[in-house]
Amino acid sequence: MIEDGTGLFTIGELARATGLTVRTIRYWSDEGVLHPVTRSSGGYRLYDAESAARLELIRTLRELGLGLDDVRQVVSGEKDVASVAAAHVAALDVQIRSLKVTRAVLSTVARRGSTAEETTLMNKLARLSAAERRRILEEFVDDMFHGLDTADPVIRDRMREMAVDLPDEPTSEQVDAWVELAELLQDPRFRARMRRVAEFNAAGRGPEEPAGASMWFSRKLVHLAAEARGQGIAPDSPEAGRILRDLLGDADPAAVLERLRSSVSDEVARYRELLSLVKGRGPASAHRAEFAWVVAALEARAGG
């Protein structure tokens, strides 16, 4: 405090009182965040005790990451601390999510030993917006079912509505799975294979078959095959024949086998696994082993 009885501080005295540097206080003053009370006869900026308290608020807000514009508005009373803090939290959430994606991408790059070109593509795919991810999926489904009016509408709609957005805290495995999935969805060869799967679905449905029957069949297949595998029943055993009869009913085994063969290829199975991995469920929920067991059981009775 200067020795003139006014209770005012020079910048140097204010710096000693608050523990801040003269340079910092001068910068905040120049930016209009901290206004001097008056100036000395020599033109030096002078501050009062309230200025010291305001400096503590400014320092706190800056340490919390608020920009000078927000700090200026809080100090001047244009905005309250709560509203500025809420806006800053929202901005931090975006930054934190971006950092987590960055970390996941770098972990994937390190694990894969990716090239510079692969790293660039991976980073681009990982940072697609939810709308851009949905566009990729919808274009894939539209291409798969275009013109197939008899295909099961529940299957089509379920695929179109499948969420493929990364979670707020993606693991490197989820980023890796999404990148591979996005590449697969845009691969012309894979699209052609999935088109054949849709064509089998459309060809196998009569006008009397209810919507959603394909999904019901898949759920029943997974349930029965999982039980069979759990009991150690071999696909070529007599007991497997009973399970197939329970699964197929009056359906033609040869037609079902042809249809399943189109949908249990490594690529199609990998597609299901990747969807499960992106959702954090793990590859087992794609039920690759259960579908393969039923195909093997049908092949054993068809002579291969």
Side-chain angles (χ1 to χ4, degrees):
M1 185 180 299
I2 59 177
E3 302 285 338
D4 62 358
T6 60
L8 299 178
F9 300 85
T10 64
I11 282 185
E13 291 164 336
L14 193 59
R16 286 191 292 274
T18 60
L20 292 163
T21 65
V22 169
R23 182 177 180 180
T24 297
I25 297 174
R26 182 177 290 115
Y27 173 67
W28 287 346
S29 292
D30 290 342
E31 292 297 316
V33 179
L34 179 71
H35 297 287
V37 174
T38 186
R39 287 182 179 268
S40 70
S41 58
Y44 294 103
R45 286 175 278 206
L46 299 176
Y47 303 87
D48 59 9
E50 188 177 340
S51 300
R54 188 174 290 113
L55 267 178
E56 287 301 321
L57 173 60
I58 295 169
R59 172 161 53 186
T60 298
L61 295 176
R62 290 293 287 158
E63 287 176 349
L64 290 172
L66 271 67
L68 283 178
D69 285 340
D70 285 329
V71 173
R72 188 183 298 110
Q73 290 175 319
V74 170
V75 171
S76 67
E78 295 177 44
K79 291 183 178 179
D80 60 86
V81 177
S83 63
V84 172
H88 195 59
V89 166
L92 282 174
D93 286 342
V94 173
Q95 294 175 24
I96 289 169
R97 186 180 189 281
S98 178
L99 285 172
K100 287 176 177 175
V101 171
T102 297
R103 184 183 186 282
V105 168
L106 290 174
S107 297
T108 299
V109 168
R111 188 174 66 254
R112 281 186 174 186
S114 302
T115 65
E117 292 78 10
E118 290 169 339
T119 301
T120 299
L121 175 61
M122 195 180 308
N123 186 55
K124 179 180 178 182
L125 291 173
R127 295 183 187 282
L128 290 176
S129 68
E132 289 169 325
R133 289 190 179 95
R134 177 164 293 280
R135 176 186 56 78
I136 290 175
L137 181 66
E138 287 180 347
E139 287 179 354
F140 166 73
V141 175
D142 288 343
D143 189 31
M144 180 176 169
F145 287 98
H146 179 69
L148 300 178
D149 297 333
T150 59
D152 193 327
V154 173
I155 294 288
R156 182 186 60 242
D157 294 343
R158 182 69 63 89
M159 290 184 66
R160 181 176 284 110
E161 294 168 3
M162 185 79 69
V164 291
D165 196 21
L166 288 171
D168 288 337
E169 299 185 20
T171 63
S172 59
E173 289 76 16
Q174 285 175 304
V175 171
D176 202 359
W178 160 246
V179 170
E180 186 180 342
L181 177 62
E183 292 171 336
L184 195 61
L185 292 175
Q186 297 173 88
D187 183 345
R189 291 186 304 104
F190 178 68
R191 286 194 173 206
R193 175 176 287 280
M194 291 299 286
R195 172 69 179 186
R196 290 195 293 274
V197 173
E199 289 171 346
F200 273 115
N201 179 271
R205 292 187 76 250
E208 73 288 346
E209 188 167 353
S214 299
M215 294 195 64
W216 174 84
F217 176 80
S218 295
R219 284 194 292 267
K220 186 175 181 181
L221 181 153
V222 168
H223 174 71
L224 291 176
E227 282 191 342
R229 294 183 68 248
Q231 295 169 16
I233 298 173
D236 58 353
S237 66
E239 184 62 11
R242 182 194 62 76
I243 294 171
L244 286 180
R245 288 191 295 273
D246 188 12
L247 173 64
L248 302 183
D250 296 332
D252 178 8
V256 173
L257 175 58
E258 185 180 21
R259 179 174 167 182
L260 286 178
R261 277 173 171 167
S262 73
S263 60
V264 297
S265 69
D266 285 340
E267 278 186 324
V268 177
R270 184 57 178 163
Y271 162 74
R272 292 197 299 266
E273 288 174 349
L274 291 171
L275 282 173
S276 296
L277 286 167
V278 169
K279 291 177 174 295
R281 297 173 182 166
S285 65
H287 306 296
R288 182 194 287 245
E290 286 78 9
F291 279 91
W293 187 93
V294 173
V295 168
L298 287 168
E299 288 177 339
R301 281 144 190 83

